Amino acid sequence: MEFEKKILSREIQQYLYETGMTVGSAESCTGGRIAESIIAVPGASTYFKGGIISYTNEVKERLLGVSHELLEEQTAVCEDVAKAMVRGAINALNVDFAIASTGTAGPGGGTPEIPVGTIWLACGNKDNIVTMKLTEDYGRDINLAIATSKALQMFISFLKENAPKTTDEGKAPVIPVAE
């Protein structure tokens, strides 16, 4: 586990641990890396309910409720599918927040319209979903590492704007590290 992802996961923990709010993931191209990063810190089971690896369109449709028509019309690699994955994860996992990824990490699979390195990230709650598009191709491993880090960073920014404050000073509490 990269040190940066542990730091990001710790920050997510500080927002969610004492509020009792929960998060889940719906991942396609990242294949569970976002979930793996979130659970890297002790105590994650209090706020991380689970993840759905929706690597195929069939799973996106069946488990996340992504529209078949949307997948046919826009492909799985688009902003609307990333948003639908967030909504689907919130419903399927019964969580307050969800993080999603869908894209073409490489080395193959790209098209002229959607080249390798195109990854859509989304996170949010039932009322608000934000997205981010990555477009650079640094090779599969780096593409996935960047997507995972960016997804966690985006979620932290979302929490800063949308999660309830946990102390009178408006700062998240510090959670003691279990040995």
Side-chain angles (χ1 to χ4, degrees), residues 10-165:
R10 195 89 165 115
E11 196 167 343
I12 290 168
Q13 180 184 55
Q14 289 176 338
Y15 277 97
L16 299 179
Y17 190 83
E18 287 189 1
T19 65
M21 300 191 88
T22 56
V23 66
S25 65
E27 302 181 62
S28 186
C29 62
T30 52
R33 287 168 178 84
I34 294 168
E36 177 187 30
S37 295
I38 292 172
I39 66 161
V41 293
S45 62
T46 61
Y47 54 87
F48 183 77
K49 282 192 161 184
I52 296 171
I53 309 300
S54 54
Y55 216 62
T56 65
N57 287 353
E58 175 189 4
V59 175
K60 287 176 183 71
E61 289 178 43
R62 280 188 169 181
L63 297 182
L64 296 172
V66 177
S67 156
H68 179 78
E69 293 75 24
L70 174 61
L71 290 164
E72 288 292 314
E73 290 171 14
Q74 296 189 37
T75 79
V77 185
C78 71
E79 182 177 29
D80 289 340
V81 167
K83 287 179 175 182
M85 290 171 68
V86 167
R87 286 189 293 275
I90 288 169
N91 291 329
L93 300 170
N94 190 30
V95 292
D96 299 300
F97 305 102
I99 307 168
S101 66
T102 184
T104 306
T111 66
E113 299 81 26
I114 304 172
V116 169
T118 303
I119 298 173
W120 277 99
L121 305 171
C123 70
N125 58 26
K126 63 181 174 54
D127 300 319
N128 185 21
I129 298 172
V130 296
T131 61
M132 175 186 297
K133 182 181 183 183
L134 306 178
T135 58
E136 298 297 320
D137 179 18
Y138 300 101
R140 182 178 182 80
D141 292 339
I142 294 173
N143 291 346
L144 294 174
I146 289 170
T148 301
S149 291
K150 293 287 187 185
L152 297 173
Q153 291 166 0
M154 181 175 62
F155 183 53
I156 290 166
S157 294
F158 184 87
L159 288 173
K160 286 179 180 177
E161 295 294 319
N162 297 278
K165 302 301 181 209

